Amino acid sequence: MDLISLFNLNTFIELLLGISLSAAAGFRVFVPLLALSVASVFGHFDLPTNFDWLETPQAVIVFAVACSLEIIGYYIPWLDHLLDIFATPAAFIAGTIVTASVAPEMNPLVQWTLALIAGGGTAGLTKGLMNTLRISSTGVSGGLTNPIVSTIELIMAIGLSVLALALPVVAGVIVIGFVIIAIQRIWSFFNKLSSQTNETVSPSRELG
């Protein structure tokens, strides 16, 4: 694939599909993988040869089981925070995989670099935003509202995965807007956390 064909309309649409599924992975790691696997098994989407393992009934079963366990785990108090520790890097990996799997035939170096930046980056930002919301929810309610956050995450993961496969351009535009908001919210969260830390440290120094 040359440089000109790399930026054609089909490639752009496939990239939007990839980042949309990646964003869904930030909400629930296995939901977009399951959706992509089901869609490919039923012939809705044709994956590259090196991703044929996603187009098997066995992959559908594995992702369905993993998806079910992930969903249940997020409704168990305090286990949701433990899952976030493992789900954050897993979301980055899942986002990279789904973006690479829907990318057109191209140089592998370009393909995986694009997948890491666009797919993994989008999934990481989405997951980072949801982690901050869960921490805030726990701080305010002691964890009582966390099931609501988990339900919203699940709805977003399913809705975004289906929309990405049906209308990738629409899903992509929504995700781009969401990514901008996610960057702003995460930046604001860490600035606030830094300010609180400085306020805590300053009185201690004065007393010393």
Side-chain angles (χ1 to χ4, degrees):
M1 174 176 286
D2 57 32
L3 189 60
I4 296 177
S5 60
L6 178 61
F7 294 100
N8 62 30
L9 181 60
N10 288 335
T11 302
F12 180 68
I13 292 175
E14 288 167 338
L15 180 59
L16 291 178
L17 170 60
I19 65 172
S20 299
L21 290 174
S22 298
F27 292 111
R28 284 293 177 272
V29 174
F30 293 104
V31 168
L33 288 169
L34 175 61
L36 184 60
S37 184
V38 170
S40 61
V41 165
F42 283 94
H44 178 73
F45 198 85
D46 186 26
L47 298 176
T49 305
N50 54 333
F51 286 96
D52 281 345
W53 57 275
L54 281 171
E55 298 186 37
T56 63
Q58 293 86 349
V60 172
I61 294 172
V62 170
F63 288 138
V65 172
C67 187
S68 299
L69 293 175
E70 183 183 23
I71 292 171
I72 294 171
Y74 271 102
Y75 284 103
I76 299 176
W78 301 110
L79 181 58
D80 53 355
H81 290 291
L82 181 61
L83 283 174
D84 276 338
I85 296 174
F86 298 99
T88 299
F92 182 87
I93 295 171
T96 302
I97 290 174
V98 294
T99 301
S101 68
V102 300
E105 294 292 335
M106 61 177 69
N107 183 291
L109 178 60
V110 176
Q111 179 185 18
W112 285 102
T113 301
L114 186 64
L116 280 168
I117 296 172
T122 300
L125 283 171
T126 305
K127 188 61 184 172
L129 176 61
M130 298 316 299
N131 287 351
T132 61
L133 290 178
R134 195 181 307 281
I135 291 171
S136 300
S137 171
T138 301
V140 172
S141 68
L144 294 178
T145 58
N146 284 13
I148 299 176
V149 175
S150 296
T151 301
I152 293 173
E153 287 177 328
L154 179 59
I155 293 173
M156 291 294 291
I158 295 174
L160 195 53
S161 295
V162 173
L163 184 62
L165 292 168
L167 299 169
V169 175
V170 175
V173 171
I174 293 173
V175 168
I176 291 172
F178 181 83
V179 166
I180 294 173
I181 295 173
I183 293 173
Q184 293 174 339
R185 292 294 179 86
I186 293 173
W187 182 264
S188 176
F189 175 82
F190 281 106
N191 280 341
K192 183 179 179 181
L193 189 63
S194 177
S195 298
Q196 290 175 347
T197 302
N198 290 336
E199 289 175 2
T200 303
V201 173
S202 295
S204 300
R205 289 180 177 175
E206 291 176 3
L207 289 174

